[in-house]
């Protein structure tokens, strides 16, 4: 195993542990993946073995799967719907080296709303014009859905899967995870605001020109995601460093 794969395994295992810590896990379901360097060979990615809770995932547990669904390394099975979703994104976006998919309460609530993600808070502005929407087609067992997932994602940093959940992409695990962290937080704010609307009056959205301005400002400091990621790794190391194993 080369150093690149070792680091990717560590980071992806850390993402699973952090997701459990933040309450994003859904028993054995949902999944994160990271593309391995191809070095001119066939494309492959890391994904979690089905049956392990997020809080249990270790770097050595992660499976290597190719784009045809074959397990190249590892002895466990993976979630079939997870393969459909993640192979779609990795196969359609050369820059999507990491894919994070969640079923959080707030994310699924927003995914059920006709208006999708609203511009309600500074956190929401990071996603102004940067989130695609994919229509619900049932559980993602049909590989034919991959083309439609790719089309819906386009060049966005995130995707709302109608009646399902959220998805984020990034050039690194740190990028994709940070995008999901703030996308989920934006959904939490929207859910809280909608609950307050019955007593505090209708929610108000940020005007488009200000959302666009704030979005550009936030894009200028995206390098800070790497700093945050290192802080999160230190947090995990204090709690339980076994994710590195």
């Amino acid at each position: 195993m080369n150093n690149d794969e070792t680091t990717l395994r560590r980071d992806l295992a850390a993402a699973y542990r952090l997701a459990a810590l933040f309450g994003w896990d859904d028993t054995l379901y949902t999944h994160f993946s990271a593309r391995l360097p191809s070095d001119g060979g066939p494309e492959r990615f890391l994904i979690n073995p089905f049956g392990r809770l997020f809080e249990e995932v270790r770097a050595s547990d992660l499976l290597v799967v190719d784009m045809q669904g074959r397990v190249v390394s590892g002895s466990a099975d993976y979630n079939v719907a997870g393969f459909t979703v993640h192979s779609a994104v990795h196969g359609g976006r050369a820059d999507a080296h990491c894919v994070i998919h969640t079923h959080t309460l707030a994310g699924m609530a927003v995914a059920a709303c006709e208006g999708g993600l609203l511009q309600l808070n500074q956190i929401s502005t990071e996603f102004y014009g940067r989130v695609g929407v994919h229509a619900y087609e049932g559980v993602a067992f049909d590989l034919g859905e991959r083309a439609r997932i790719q089309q819906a994602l386009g060049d966005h940093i995130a995707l709302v899967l109608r009646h399902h959940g959220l998805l984020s992409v990034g050039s690194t695990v740190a990028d994709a995870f940070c995008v999901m962290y703030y996308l989920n937080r934006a959904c939490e704010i929207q859910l809280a605001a909608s609950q307050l609307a019955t007593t505090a009056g209708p929610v108000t959205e940020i005007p488009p020109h200000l959302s666009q301005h704030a979005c550009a400002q936030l894009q200028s400091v995206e390098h800070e995601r790497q700093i945050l990621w290192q802080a999160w790794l230190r947090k995990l190391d204090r709690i339980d460093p076994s994710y590195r194993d």
Side-chain angles (χ1 to χ4, degrees):
M1 188 185 302
N2 61 36
N3 290 335
D4 287 341
E5 182 172 340
T6 299
T7 300
L8 280 172
R9 283 179 174 275
R10 179 207 67 185
D11 283 354
L12 192 59
Y16 281 105
R17 295 292 186 96
L18 287 167
L21 190 63
F22 297 156
W24 296 357
D25 47 347
D26 179 14
T27 64
L28 303 179
Y29 301 96
T30 75
H31 13 78
F32 309 161
S33 63
R35 177 190 283 123
L36 288 168
S38 66
D39 299 321
E43 195 163 337
R44 304 161 301 142
F45 59 89
L46 297 168
I47 197 165
N48 58 314
F50 186 70
R52 285 196 176 273
L53 297 171
F54 280 20
E55 66 192 40
E56 299 176 312
V57 173
R58 302 171 302 169
S60 59
D61 295 326
L62 296 167
L63 307 177
V64 179
V65 179
D66 68 16
M67 296 300 287
Q68 286 70 49
R70 292 185 292 261
V71 176
V72 177
S73 176
S75 57
D77 294 325
Y78 55 80
N79 181 280
V80 176
F83 172 76
T84 300
V85 172
H86 289 262
S87 63
V89 179
H90 288 304
R93 281 274 295 273
D95 62 330
H97 294 300
C98 180
V99 182
I100 303 287
H101 171 49
T102 62
H103 295 163
T104 64
L105 174 63
M108 289 190 292
V110 169
C113 296
E114 183 178 353
L117 184 67
L118 303 178
Q119 290 292 300
L120 300 183
N121 182 274
Q122 179 167 281
I123 291 174
S124 310
T125 64
E126 178 180 358
F127 303 97
Y128 182 73
R130 306 177 79 192
V131 180
V133 178
H134 175 59
Y136 186 63
E137 299 187 22
V139 180
F141 292 155
D142 180 6
L143 293 179
E145 188 176 352
R146 292 192 292 189
R148 295 179 289 280
I149 292 172
Q150 292 167 351
Q151 184 176 17
L153 179 62
D155 61 358
H156 296 305
I157 62 172
L159 188 64
V160 172
L161 301 159
R162 287 281 192 205
H163 312 294
H164 185 175
L166 305 175
L167 182 145
S168 66
V169 301
S171 60
T172 65
V173 175
D175 284 322
F177 195 88
C178 288
V179 169
M180 180 57 74
Y181 180 87
Y182 285 107
L183 177 60
N184 191 69
R185 182 57 60 89
C187 290
E188 290 174 337
I189 291 167
Q190 185 166 323
L191 181 59
S194 69
Q195 293 168 341
L196 286 173
T198 57
T199 56
V203 297
T204 60
E205 289 197 66
I206 299 171
H209 72 283
L210 286 178
S211 289
Q212 186 174 28
H213 173 61
C215 183
Q217 290 178 308
L218 291 171
Q219 287 182 69
S220 72
V221 294
E222 286 181 351
H223 62 277
E224 293 177 4
R225 293 172 181 164
Q226 308 304 318
I227 301 172
L228 176 56
W229 183 249
Q230 293 304 316
W232 275 333
L233 291 184
R234 293 194 301 273
K235 183 180 184 71
L236 283 180
D237 285 338
R238 290 192 298 271
I239 296 170
D240 181 2
S242 66
Y243 72 95
R244 295 174 175 268
D245 295 345

